[in-house]
C-alpha cells in the first residue's frame, strides 16, 4: 500500500457518509485514532471499486472498521488521472468530525484541486453512457411570491411608515 500525505490539509470531502455511520463511529472512537478537539484522525485506504453499480470509477474510503464513504464522482476521476489508472491501494489520513451535528462527516488528506481532469482523462474514465443517471433533485423549498402579494405588502409597509412618521 502506497502512503501519501499532502500536509494534513484535508482538502477533499468524502460523500455518502450518512450510509456508513456505524463504521465512522467505530473509527472515531478507535483507541488508536489521534484526537484533536472534536476531530479524530485515522489512516484509511483509497480502494478502486470498478464493479460498483452506481459508478464504474468509484473510489471507496476504507478504514479498519469498513467503508466510510466515497470520493465524489469528479474527485474519483481526478484521483484516477493522478494515479494514471494504477490500481494500487493508496493510504492517506482521514479527518472524522461530528461537532454539534448528530452525524459524522469526513475529509481526506488528498489534494486534487489542481487536477481539473484533462479531456483525455475524462474520455478515459468518465463514460457517462455506462453510468446510471442520478435521481432528479427535489424542487426548491422556497416559495415564490406573486406580484399581487408584493404590491399588498408594499402598501401595508407604506401605510405603517406613514402612521409612524
Amino acid at each position: 500500500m502506497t502512503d501519501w500525505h499532502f500536509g494534513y490539509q484535508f482538502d477533499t470531502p468524502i460523500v455518502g457518509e450518512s450510509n456508513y455511520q456505524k463504521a465512522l463511529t467505530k473509527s472515531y472512537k478507535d483507541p488508536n485514532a489521534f484526537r484533536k478537539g472534536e476531530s479524530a484522525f485515522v489512516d484509511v485506504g483509497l480502494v478502486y471499486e470498478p464493479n460498483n453499480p452506481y459508478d464504474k470509477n468509484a473510489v471507496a474510503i476504507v478504514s479498519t472498521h469498513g467503508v466510510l464513504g466515497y470520493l465524489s464522482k469528479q474527485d474519483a476521476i481526478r484521483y484516477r488521472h493522478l494515479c494514471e489508472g494504477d490500481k494500487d491501494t493508496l493510504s492517506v489520513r482521514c479527518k472524522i468530525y461530528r461537532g454539534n451535528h448528530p452525524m459524522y462527516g469526513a475529509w481526506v488528506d488528498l489534494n486534487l484541486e489542481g487536477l481539473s481532469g484533462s479531456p483525455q482523462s475524462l474520455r478515459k474514465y468518465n463514460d457517462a453512457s455506462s453510468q446510471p443517471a442520478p435521481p432528479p433533485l427535489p424542487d426548491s423549498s422556497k416559495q415564490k411570491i406573486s406580484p399581487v402579494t408584493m404590491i399588498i405588502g408594499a402598501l401595508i409597509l407604506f401605510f405603517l411608515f406613514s402612521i409612524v412618521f
Side-chain angles (χ1 to χ4, degrees):
M1 182 180 307
T2 307
D3 190 22
W4 282 3
H5 294 287
F6 292 90
Y8 302 115
Q9 294 186 21
F10 305 97
D11 296 318
T12 305
I14 296 175
V15 299
E17 307 102 317
S18 63
N19 299 309
Y20 303 99
Q21 289 297 301
K22 281 186 178 181
L24 282 161
T25 301
K26 288 179 182 178
S27 295
Y28 184 86
K29 294 179 178 179
D30 190 309
N32 295 321
F34 174 76
R35 296 213 186 324
K36 185 172 182 181
E38 298 280 325
S39 300
F41 300 86
V42 297
D43 289 325
V44 295
L46 302 182
V47 180
Y48 286 116
E49 285 189 358
N51 296 324
N52 184 299
Y54 302 104
D55 181 7
K56 69 177 183 157
N57 298 312
V59 178
I61 312 300
V62 182
S63 78
T64 56
H65 300 287
V67 174
L68 303 180
Y70 289 84
L71 292 180
S72 70
K73 288 186 178 201
Q74 293 166 330
D75 285 340
I77 290 170
R78 289 179 178 144
Y79 172 71
R80 289 177 65 111
H81 181 68
L82 176 70
C83 296
E84 288 298 318
D86 186 11
K87 300 221 186 296
D88 185 29
T89 299
L90 177 68
S91 172
V92 297
R93 184 80 24 105
C94 178
K95 175 182 179 180
I96 303 170
Y97 62 92
R98 185 175 191 174
N100 296 335
H101 209 267
M103 295 175 60
Y104 290 99
W107 292 65
V108 290
D109 179 33
L110 183 67
N111 186 347
L112 299 171
E113 289 301 312
L115 297 171
S116 61
S118 68
Q120 295 84 4
S121 69
L122 294 176
R123 277 195 301 276
K124 183 176 180 182
Y125 300 119
N126 197 19
D127 181 8
S129 63
S130 66
Q131 297 178 9
L137 295 174
D139 290 338
S140 174
S141 61
K142 294 182 182 178
Q143 295 180 357
K144 295 181 181 178
I145 300 173
S146 72
V148 173
T149 305
M150 286 194 290
I151 292 171
I152 292 172
L155 288 173
I156 291 171
L157 285 174
F158 176 75
F159 177 72
L160 288 173
F161 278 112
S162 66
I163 292 174
V164 173
F165 298 108

mmCIF file of all heavy atoms in Angstrom, residues 83-123:
data_model
loop_
_atom_site.group_PDB
_atom_site.id
_atom_site.type_symbol
_atom_site.label_atom_id
_atom_site.label_comp_id
_atom_site.label_asym_id
_atom_site.label_seq_id
_atom_site.Cartn_x
_atom_site.Cartn_y
_atom_site.Cartn_z
ATOM 1 N N CYS A 83 -3.296 8.972 -10.556
ATOM 2 C CA CYS A 83 -2.620 7.672 -10.435
ATOM 3 C C CYS A 83 -2.423 6.991 -11.778
ATOM 4 O O CYS A 83 -1.894 5.882 -11.838
ATOM 5 C CB CYS A 83 -3.421 6.766 -9.515
ATOM 6 S SG CYS A 83 -3.502 7.392 -7.839
ATOM 7 N N GLU A 84 -2.900 7.640 -12.849
ATOM 8 C CA GLU A 84 -2.775 7.080 -14.198
ATOM 9 C C GLU A 84 -3.340 5.663 -14.282
ATOM 10 O O GLU A 84 -2.767 4.788 -14.910
ATOM 11 C CB GLU A 84 -1.318 7.092 -14.659
ATOM 12 C CG GLU A 84 -0.799 8.479 -14.972
ATOM 13 C CD GLU A 84 -1.547 9.161 -16.111
ATOM 14 O OE1 GLU A 84 -1.856 8.499 -17.115
ATOM 15 O OE2 GLU A 84 -1.818 10.352 -15.981
ATOM 16 N N GLY A 85 -4.451 5.433 -13.575
ATOM 17 C CA GLY A 85 -5.112 4.142 -13.669
ATOM 18 C C GLY A 85 -4.480 3.056 -12.833
ATOM 19 O O GLY A 85 -4.953 1.930 -12.821
ATOM 20 N N ASP A 86 -3.389 3.369 -12.094
ATOM 21 C CA ASP A 86 -2.747 2.382 -11.240
ATOM 22 C C ASP A 86 -3.743 1.961 -10.164
ATOM 23 O O ASP A 86 -4.332 2.789 -9.498
ATOM 24 C CB ASP A 86 -1.496 2.985 -10.603
ATOM 25 C CG ASP A 86 -0.702 1.978 -9.807
ATOM 26 O OD1 ASP A 86 -0.995 0.766 -9.904
ATOM 27 O OD2 ASP A 86 0.227 2.402 -9.097
ATOM 28 N N LYS A 87 -3.960 0.679 -9.998
ATOM 29 C CA LYS A 87 -4.988 0.202 -9.081
ATOM 30 C C LYS A 87 -4.441 -0.127 -7.693
ATOM 31 O O LYS A 87 -5.099 -0.735 -6.877
ATOM 32 C CB LYS A 87 -5.692 -1.007 -9.683
ATOM 33 C CG LYS A 87 -6.357 -0.677 -10.995
ATOM 34 C CD LYS A 87 -7.697 -1.321 -11.088
ATOM 35 C CE LYS A 87 -8.356 -1.147 -12.404
ATOM 36 N NZ LYS A 87 -8.680 0.180 -12.777
ATOM 37 N N ASP A 88 -3.215 0.295 -7.383
ATOM 38 C CA ASP A 88 -2.651 0.077 -6.063
ATOM 39 C C ASP A 88 -3.453 0.881 -5.043
ATOM 40 O O ASP A 88 -3.853 2.012 -5.302
ATOM 41 C CB ASP A 88 -1.185 0.519 -6.055
ATOM 42 C CG ASP A 88 -0.496 0.212 -4.742
ATOM 43 O OD1 ASP A 88 -0.896 -0.759 -4.078
ATOM 44 O OD2 ASP A 88 0.436 0.942 -4.386
ATOM 45 N N THR A 89 -3.720 0.297 -3.885
ATOM 46 C CA THR A 89 -4.436 0.999 -2.827
ATOM 47 C C THR A 89 -3.526 2.057 -2.230
ATOM 48 O O THR A 89 -2.377 1.791 -1.921
ATOM 49 C CB THR A 89 -4.891 0.008 -1.737
ATOM 50 O OG1 THR A 89 -5.761 -0.943 -2.328
ATOM 51 C CG2 THR A 89 -5.615 0.728 -0.623
ATOM 52 N N LEU A 90 -4.062 3.250 -2.058
ATOM 53 C CA LEU A 90 -3.310 4.364 -1.518
ATOM 54 C C LEU A 90 -3.744 4.604 -0.080
ATOM 55 O O LEU A 90 -4.937 4.581 0.223
ATOM 56 C CB LEU A 90 -3.584 5.612 -2.357
ATOM 57 C CG LEU A 90 -2.955 6.912 -1.911
ATOM 58 C CD1 LEU A 90 -1.436 6.850 -2.078
ATOM 59 C CD2 LEU A 90 -3.507 8.054 -2.734
ATOM 60 N N SER A 91 -2.798 4.833 0.820
ATOM 61 C CA SER A 91 -3.098 5.131 2.208
ATOM 62 C C SER A 91 -2.978 6.634 2.431
ATOM 63 O O SER A 91 -1.973 7.236 2.064
ATOM 64 C CB SER A 91 -2.128 4.388 3.127
ATOM 65 O OG SER A 91 -2.301 4.814 4.457
ATOM 66 N N VAL A 92 -4.018 7.233 3.006
ATOM 67 C CA VAL A 92 -3.998 8.645 3.356
ATOM 68 C C VAL A 92 -4.593 8.792 4.754
ATOM 69 O O VAL A 92 -5.140 7.843 5.315
ATOM 70 C CB VAL A 92 -4.784 9.526 2.344
ATOM 71 C CG1 VAL A 92 -4.161 9.476 0.967
ATOM 72 C CG2 VAL A 92 -6.242 9.139 2.290
ATOM 73 N N ARG A 93 -4.533 9.982 5.279
ATOM 74 C CA ARG A 93 -5.128 10.266 6.589
ATOM 75 C C ARG A 93 -6.530 10.811 6.379
ATOM 76 O O ARG A 93 -6.800 11.551 5.446
ATOM 77 C CB ARG A 93 -4.245 11.274 7.309
ATOM 78 C CG ARG A 93 -4.605 11.652 8.695
ATOM 79 C CD ARG A 93 -4.233 10.730 9.851
ATOM 80 N NE ARG A 93 -3.150 9.817 9.731
ATOM 81 C CZ ARG A 93 -1.945 9.952 10.293
ATOM 82 N NH1 ARG A 93 -1.651 11.020 10.974
ATOM 83 N NH2 ARG A 93 -1.043 9.021 10.173
ATOM 84 N N CYS A 94 -7.449 10.443 7.282
ATOM 85 C CA CYS A 94 -8.840 10.880 7.221
ATOM 86 C C CYS A 94 -9.184 11.625 8.502
ATOM 87 O O CYS A 94 -8.827 11.187 9.602
ATOM 88 C CB CYS A 94 -9.746 9.657 7.060
ATOM 89 S SG CYS A 94 -11.511 10.023 7.019
ATOM 90 N N LYS A 95 -9.878 12.746 8.348
ATOM 91 C CA LYS A 95 -10.355 13.524 9.490
ATOM 92 C C LYS A 95 -11.849 13.254 9.639
ATOM 93 O O LYS A 95 -12.634 13.518 8.728
ATOM 94 C CB LYS A 95 -10.119 15.011 9.248
ATOM 95 C CG LYS A 95 -10.682 15.910 10.328
ATOM 96 C CD LYS A 95 -10.442 17.370 9.973
ATOM 97 C CE LYS A 95 -11.011 18.291 11.027
ATOM 98 N NZ LYS A 95 -10.777 19.700 10.666
ATOM 99 N N ILE A 96 -12.234 12.712 10.796
ATOM 100 C CA ILE A 96 -13.644 12.434 11.092
ATOM 101 C C ILE A 96 -14.085 13.445 12.147
ATOM 102 O O ILE A 96 -13.411 13.620 13.162
ATOM 103 C CB ILE A 96 -13.835 10.997 11.612
ATOM 104 C CG1 ILE A 96 -13.284 9.990 10.597
ATOM 105 C CG2 ILE A 96 -15.302 10.724 11.918
ATOM 106 C CD1 ILE A 96 -13.209 8.571 11.115
ATOM 107 N N TYR A 97 -15.185 14.093 11.906
ATOM 108 C CA TYR A 97 -15.654 15.112 12.843
ATOM 109 C C TYR A 97 -17.146 14.973 13.061
ATOM 110 O O TYR A 97 -17.860 14.367 12.267
ATOM 111 C CB TYR A 97 -15.324 16.521 12.334
ATOM 112 C CG TYR A 97 -16.017 16.831 11.024
ATOM 113 C CD1 TYR A 97 -17.261 17.450 11.006
ATOM 114 C CD2 TYR A 97 -15.446 16.486 9.810
ATOM 115 C CE1 TYR A 97 -17.907 17.704 9.811
ATOM 116 C CE2 TYR A 97 -16.086 16.740 8.611
ATOM 117 C CZ TYR A 97 -17.307 17.361 8.628
ATOM 118 O OH TYR A 97 -17.955 17.602 7.444
ATOM 119 N N ARG A 98 -17.600 15.526 14.164
ATOM 120 C CA ARG A 98 -19.010 15.486 14.471
ATOM 121 C C ARG A 98 -19.508 16.859 14.892
ATOM 122 O O ARG A 98 -20.540 17.321 14.446
ATOM 123 C CB ARG A 98 -19.286 14.471 15.566
ATOM 124 C CG ARG A 98 -20.756 14.285 15.845
ATOM 125 C CD ARG A 98 -20.959 13.191 16.842
ATOM 126 N NE ARG A 98 -22.343 12.822 16.945
ATOM 127 C CZ ARG A 98 -22.764 11.829 17.658
ATOM 128 N NH1 ARG A 98 -21.909 11.086 18.311
ATOM 129 N NH2 ARG A 98 -24.040 11.544 17.729
ATOM 130 N N GLY A 99 -18.791 17.518 15.796
ATOM 131 C CA GLY A 99 -19.214 18.833 16.266
ATOM 132 C C GLY A 99 -20.585 18.776 16.907
ATOM 133 O O GLY A 99 -20.897 17.855 17.651
ATOM 134 N N ASN A 100 -21.428 19.738 16.604
ATOM 135 C CA ASN A 100 -22.789 19.786 17.152
ATOM 136 C C ASN A 100 -23.779 19.004 16.303
ATOM 137 O O ASN A 100 -24.966 19.016 16.571
ATOM 138 C CB ASN A 100 -23.255 21.242 17.263
ATOM 139 C CG ASN A 100 -22.403 22.022 18.236
ATOM 140 O OD1 ASN A 100 -21.801 21.450 19.129
ATOM 141 N ND2 ASN A 100 -22.344 23.329 18.065
ATOM 142 N N HIS A 101 -23.297 18.396 15.268
ATOM 143 C CA HIS A 101 -24.151 17.679 14.316
ATOM 144 C C HIS A 101 -24.396 16.259 14.819
ATOM 145 O O HIS A 101 -23.511 15.644 15.408
ATOM 146 C CB HIS A 101 -23.447 17.649 12.954
ATOM 147 C CG HIS A 101 -24.390 17.593 11.801
ATOM 148 N ND1 HIS A 101 -24.770 16.417 11.236
ATOM 149 C CD2 HIS A 101 -25.031 18.568 11.122
ATOM 150 C CE1 HIS A 101 -25.601 16.665 10.242
ATOM 151 N NE2 HIS A 101 -25.775 17.967 10.159
ATOM 152 N N PRO A 102 -25.579 15.684 14.586
ATOM 153 C CA PRO A 102 -25.836 14.314 15.072
ATOM 154 C C PRO A 102 -25.104 13.227 14.271
ATOM 155 O O PRO A 102 -24.996 12.103 14.741
ATOM 156 C CB PRO A 102 -27.349 14.162 14.919
ATOM 157 C CG PRO A 102 -27.734 15.145 13.867
ATOM 158 C CD PRO A 102 -26.759 16.287 13.975
ATOM 159 N N MET A 103 -24.609 13.560 13.087
ATOM 160 C CA MET A 103 -23.941 12.554 12.259
ATOM 161 C C MET A 103 -22.481 12.932 12.044
ATOM 162 O O MET A 103 -22.117 14.093 12.099
ATOM 163 C CB MET A 103 -24.658 12.425 10.909
ATOM 164 C CG MET A 103 -26.067 11.891 11.047
ATOM 165 S SD MET A 103 -27.002 11.865 9.510
ATOM 166 C CE MET A 103 -26.047 10.808 8.499
ATOM 167 N N TYR A 104 -21.665 11.915 11.777
ATOM 168 C CA TYR A 104 -20.256 12.147 11.494
ATOM 169 C C TYR A 104 -20.064 12.533 10.034
ATOM 170 O O TYR A 104 -20.789 12.076 9.158
ATOM 171 C CB TYR A 104 -19.435 10.883 11.778
ATOM 172 C CG TYR A 104 -19.332 10.558 13.245
ATOM 173 C CD1 TYR A 104 -20.154 9.609 13.817
ATOM 174 C CD2 TYR A 104 -18.409 11.208 14.052
ATOM 175 C CE1 TYR A 104 -20.065 9.308 15.167
ATOM 176 C CE2 TYR A 104 -18.307 10.915 15.401
ATOM 177 C CZ TYR A 104 -19.143 9.964 15.954
ATOM 178 O OH TYR A 104 -19.047 9.675 17.279
ATOM 179 N N GLY A 105 -19.065 13.356 9.792
ATOM 180 C CA GLY A 105 -18.636 13.707 8.446
ATOM 181 C C GLY A 105 -17.151 13.427 8.348
ATOM 182 O O GLY A 105 -16.482 13.197 9.364
ATOM 183 N N ALA A 106 -16.602 13.429 7.140
ATOM 184 C CA ALA A 106 -15.185 13.106 6.995
ATOM 185 C C ALA A 106 -14.583 13.770 5.759
ATOM 186 O O ALA A 106 -15.276 14.009 4.767
ATOM 187 C CB ALA A 106 -15.008 11.594 6.914
ATOM 188 N N TRP A 107 -13.287 14.054 5.852
ATOM 189 C CA TRP A 107 -12.480 14.589 4.769
ATOM 190 C C TRP A 107 -11.193 13.786 4.716
ATOM 191 O O TRP A 107 -10.750 13.250 5.736
ATOM 192 C CB TRP A 107 -12.131 16.052 5.034
ATOM 193 C CG TRP A 107 -13.303 16.983 4.980
ATOM 194 C CD1 TRP A 107 -14.379 17.003 5.814
ATOM 195 C CD2 TRP A 107 -13.508 18.032 4.052
ATOM 196 N NE1 TRP A 107 -15.236 18.003 5.457
ATOM 197 C CE2 TRP A 107 -14.726 18.657 4.384
ATOM 198 C CE3 TRP A 107 -12.775 18.517 2.984
ATOM 199 C CZ2 TRP A 107 -15.237 19.733 3.672
ATOM 200 C CZ3 TRP A 107 -13.282 19.586 2.287
ATOM 201 C CH2 TRP A 107 -14.502 20.183 2.627
ATOM 202 N N VAL A 108 -10.578 13.704 3.544
ATOM 203 C CA VAL A 108 -9.297 13.011 3.427
ATOM 204 C C VAL A 108 -8.201 13.992 3.035
ATOM 205 O O VAL A 108 -8.455 15.011 2.399
ATOM 206 C CB VAL A 108 -9.337 11.829 2.424
ATOM 207 C CG1 VAL A 108 -10.165 10.692 2.978
ATOM 208 C CG2 VAL A 108 -9.845 12.252 1.072
ATOM 209 N N ASP A 109 -6.989 13.655 3.445
ATOM 210 C CA ASP A 109 -5.807 14.457 3.135
ATOM 211 C C ASP A 109 -5.333 14.098 1.729
ATOM 212 O O ASP A 109 -4.391 13.342 1.546
ATOM 213 C CB ASP A 109 -4.713 14.184 4.176
ATOM 214 C CG ASP A 109 -3.448 14.974 3.910
ATOM 215 O OD1 ASP A 109 -3.556 16.099 3.394
ATOM 216 O OD2 ASP A 109 -2.359 14.467 4.216
ATOM 217 N N LEU A 110 -6.044 14.615 0.755
ATOM 218 C CA LEU A 110 -5.766 14.324 -0.645
ATOM 219 C C LEU A 110 -6.076 15.588 -1.433
ATOM 220 O O LEU A 110 -7.222 16.009 -1.492
ATOM 221 C CB LEU A 110 -6.638 13.165 -1.120
ATOM 222 C CG LEU A 110 -6.430 12.666 -2.534
ATOM 223 C CD1 LEU A 110 -5.056 12.017 -2.680
ATOM 224 C CD2 LEU A 110 -7.511 11.661 -2.896
ATOM 225 N N ASN A 111 -5.071 16.207 -2.003
ATOM 226 C CA ASN A 111 -5.264 17.468 -2.715
ATOM 227 C C ASN A 111 -5.443 17.183 -4.198
ATOM 228 O O ASN A 111 -4.492 16.875 -4.900
ATOM 229 C CB ASN A 111 -4.075 18.398 -2.484
ATOM 230 C CG ASN A 111 -4.301 19.764 -3.086
ATOM 231 O OD1 ASN A 111 -5.224 19.969 -3.868
ATOM 232 N ND2 ASN A 111 -3.462 20.700 -2.733
ATOM 233 N N LEU A 112 -6.683 17.317 -4.667
ATOM 234 C CA LEU A 112 -6.995 17.068 -6.077
ATOM 235 C C LEU A 112 -7.401 18.349 -6.796
ATOM 236 O O LEU A 112 -7.817 18.305 -7.945
ATOM 237 C CB LEU A 112 -8.136 16.050 -6.182
ATOM 238 C CG LEU A 112 -7.837 14.683 -5.586
ATOM 239 C CD1 LEU A 112 -9.095 13.831 -5.544
ATOM 240 C CD2 LEU A 112 -6.751 13.983 -6.358
ATOM 241 N N GLU A 113 -7.292 19.497 -6.123
ATOM 242 C CA GLU A 113 -7.748 20.757 -6.692
ATOM 243 C C GLU A 113 -7.046 21.130 -7.983
ATOM 244 O O GLU A 113 -7.634 21.683 -8.876
ATOM 245 C CB GLU A 113 -7.579 21.887 -5.674
ATOM 246 C CG GLU A 113 -8.565 21.792 -4.536
ATOM 247 C CD GLU A 113 -10.003 21.830 -4.985
ATOM 248 O OE1 GLU A 113 -10.364 22.702 -5.788
ATOM 249 O OE2 GLU A 113 -10.781 20.981 -4.542
ATOM 250 N N GLY A 114 -5.755 20.845 -8.108
ATOM 251 C CA GLY A 114 -5.010 21.222 -9.294
ATOM 252 C C GLY A 114 -5.285 20.342 -10.495
ATOM 253 O O GLY A 114 -4.854 20.631 -11.603
ATOM 254 N N LEU A 115 -6.022 19.268 -10.286
ATOM 255 C CA LEU A 115 -6.298 18.333 -11.379
ATOM 256 C C LEU A 115 -7.728 18.526 -11.855
ATOM 257 O O LEU A 115 -8.660 18.020 -11.262
ATOM 258 C CB LEU A 115 -6.099 16.889 -10.905
ATOM 259 C CG LEU A 115 -4.683 16.549 -10.476
ATOM 260 C CD1 LEU A 115 -4.656 15.184 -9.830
ATOM 261 C CD2 LEU A 115 -3.758 16.587 -11.659
ATOM 262 N N SER A 116 -7.896 19.268 -12.908
ATOM 263 C CA SER A 116 -9.243 19.541 -13.401
ATOM 264 C C SER A 116 -9.791 18.378 -14.211
ATOM 265 O O SER A 116 -10.966 18.313 -14.492
ATOM 266 C CB SER A 116 -9.233 20.805 -14.262
ATOM 267 O OG SER A 116 -8.370 20.612 -15.365
ATOM 268 N N GLY A 117 -8.946 17.454 -14.566
ATOM 269 C CA GLY A 117 -9.399 16.346 -15.395
ATOM 270 C C GLY A 117 -9.243 16.720 -16.851
ATOM 271 O O GLY A 117 -10.049 17.450 -17.392
ATOM 272 N N SER A 118 -8.178 16.280 -17.454
ATOM 273 C CA SER A 118 -7.932 16.623 -18.847
ATOM 274 C C SER A 118 -8.980 15.964 -19.743
ATOM 275 O O SER A 118 -9.637 15.019 -19.331
ATOM 276 C CB SER A 118 -6.544 16.132 -19.246
ATOM 277 O OG SER A 118 -6.518 14.720 -19.265
ATOM 278 N N PRO A 119 -9.157 16.446 -20.979
ATOM 279 C CA PRO A 119 -10.100 15.792 -21.886
ATOM 280 C C PRO A 119 -9.793 14.309 -22.067
ATOM 281 O O PRO A 119 -10.690 13.495 -22.172
ATOM 282 C CB PRO A 119 -9.923 16.561 -23.200
ATOM 283 C CG PRO A 119 -9.426 17.899 -22.795
ATOM 284 C CD PRO A 119 -8.583 17.655 -21.569
ATOM 285 N N GLN A 120 -8.489 13.967 -22.037
ATOM 286 C CA GLN A 120 -8.127 12.558 -22.194
ATOM 287 C C GLN A 120 -8.624 11.739 -20.998
ATOM 288 O O GLN A 120 -9.179 10.664 -21.170
ATOM 289 C CB GLN A 120 -6.603 12.384 -22.330
ATOM 290 C CG GLN A 120 -6.012 12.994 -23.565
ATOM 291 C CD GLN A 120 -5.712 14.484 -23.398
ATOM 292 O OE1 GLN A 120 -5.878 15.066 -22.331
ATOM 293 N NE2 GLN A 120 -5.280 15.104 -24.479
ATOM 294 N N SER A 121 -8.424 12.265 -19.780
ATOM 295 C CA SER A 121 -8.849 11.500 -18.611
ATOM 296 C C SER A 121 -10.359 11.436 -18.533
ATOM 297 O O SER A 121 -10.918 10.439 -18.116
ATOM 298 C CB SER A 121 -8.273 12.093 -17.323
ATOM 299 O OG SER A 121 -8.857 13.341 -17.039
ATOM 300 N N LEU A 122 -11.039 12.514 -18.935
ATOM 301 C CA LEU A 122 -12.492 12.486 -18.908
ATOM 302 C C LEU A 122 -13.028 11.443 -19.884
ATOM 303 O O LEU A 122 -13.973 10.725 -19.585
ATOM 304 C CB LEU A 122 -13.062 13.866 -19.211
ATOM 305 C CG LEU A 122 -12.769 14.926 -18.154
ATOM 306 C CD1 LEU A 122 -13.292 16.275 -18.614
ATOM 307 C CD2 LEU A 122 -13.365 14.545 -16.825
ATOM 308 N N ARG A 123 -12.419 11.360 -21.079
ATOM 309 C CA ARG A 123 -12.852 10.332 -22.033
ATOM 310 C C ARG A 123 -12.516 8.943 -21.500
ATOM 311 O O ARG A 123 -13.294 8.010 -21.627
ATOM 312 C CB ARG A 123 -12.182 10.544 -23.390
ATOM 313 C CG ARG A 123 -12.882 11.569 -24.253
ATOM 314 C CD ARG A 123 -12.412 11.480 -25.687
ATOM 315 N NE ARG A 123 -10.988 11.687 -25.841
ATOM 316 C CZ ARG A 123 -10.403 12.881 -25.929
ATOM 317 N NH1 ARG A 123 -11.125 13.973 -25.856
ATOM 318 N NH2 ARG A 123 -9.104 12.975 -26.087
#
